[in-house]
């Protein structure tokens, strides 16, 4: 299961502990997972990559069983808004660093503005 989902065994145990994955019984000391378990694990990983929290992922998994498309869409739209805000913040940080890098290159004396900008 870990290899199929490209995660560590501890990650699977963590998801099981959080109730996101089922814990199958041990058969002869080995747990047996099916394709649905792997699909669910991959869904969790992809949703995390998109920035959803584990609680939101739990809700999405529950919605999938109930086919509540409007709530799933609400969660996705809220995630898009959060991503847009983060992108805007990152673009501002990039612009600030570009400006500081130019000032550092232009300056002939004194401390580099990059270092001064991050001083405590």
């Amino acid at each position: 299961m870990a290899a199929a989902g490209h995660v560590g065994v501890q990650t699977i145990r963590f998801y099981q502990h959080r109730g996101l994955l089922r814990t199958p019984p041990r058969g002869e000391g080995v747990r047996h997972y099916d394709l649905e378990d792997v699909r669910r694990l991959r869904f969790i990983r992809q949703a995390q990559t998109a920035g959803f929290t584990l609680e939101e992922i739990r809700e999405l998994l529950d919605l999938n069983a109930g086919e509540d498309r409007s709530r799933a869409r609400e969660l996705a739209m809220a995630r898009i808004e959060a991503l847009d805000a983060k992108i805007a913040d990152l673009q501002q940080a990039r612009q600030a660093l570009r400006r500081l890098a130019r000032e550092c290159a232009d300056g002939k004396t004194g401390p580099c503005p990059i270092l001064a900008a991050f001083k405590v």
Side-chain angles (χ1 to χ4, degrees):
M1 171 86 157
H6 306 289
V7 299
V9 173
Q10 292 299 328
T11 300
I12 292 172
R13 289 185 182 137
F14 176 75
Y15 292 154
Q16 289 170 334
H17 179 71
R18 296 292 302 261
L20 296 170
L21 290 174
R22 71 181 184 92
T23 304
R26 287 182 181 242
E28 298 177 16
V30 177
R31 296 193 190 280
H32 295 280
Y33 297 91
D34 59 24
L35 290 177
E36 178 59 23
D37 295 317
V38 174
R39 185 201 67 77
R40 192 173 176 99
L41 175 60
R42 289 181 178 160
F43 177 90
I44 293 166
R45 299 298 294 161
Q46 290 171 344
Q48 280 186 307
T49 299
F52 286 100
T53 66
L54 292 179
E55 286 306 313
E56 290 168 332
I57 292 169
R58 180 190 323 280
E59 186 174 356
L60 287 169
L61 287 166
D62 291 343
L63 290 173
N64 188 40
E67 297 184 15
D68 186 348
R69 295 177 75 158
S70 63
R71 179 61 183 145
R73 188 174 48 255
E74 287 173 20
L75 287 168
M77 294 305 294
R79 193 69 221 122
I80 290 168
E81 288 177 20
L83 288 170
D84 286 343
K86 188 170 189 163
I87 289 168
D89 289 344
L90 290 170
Q91 287 174 334
Q92 287 178 343
R94 182 181 58 200
Q95 289 172 349
L97 281 172
R98 280 186 177 155
R99 179 182 50 77
L100 289 168
R102 273 193 314 274
E103 291 173 9
C104 188
D106 293 342
K108 303 294 183 219
T109 62
C112 175
I114 296 169
L115 301 175
F118 297 125
K119 230 179 197 179
V120 178

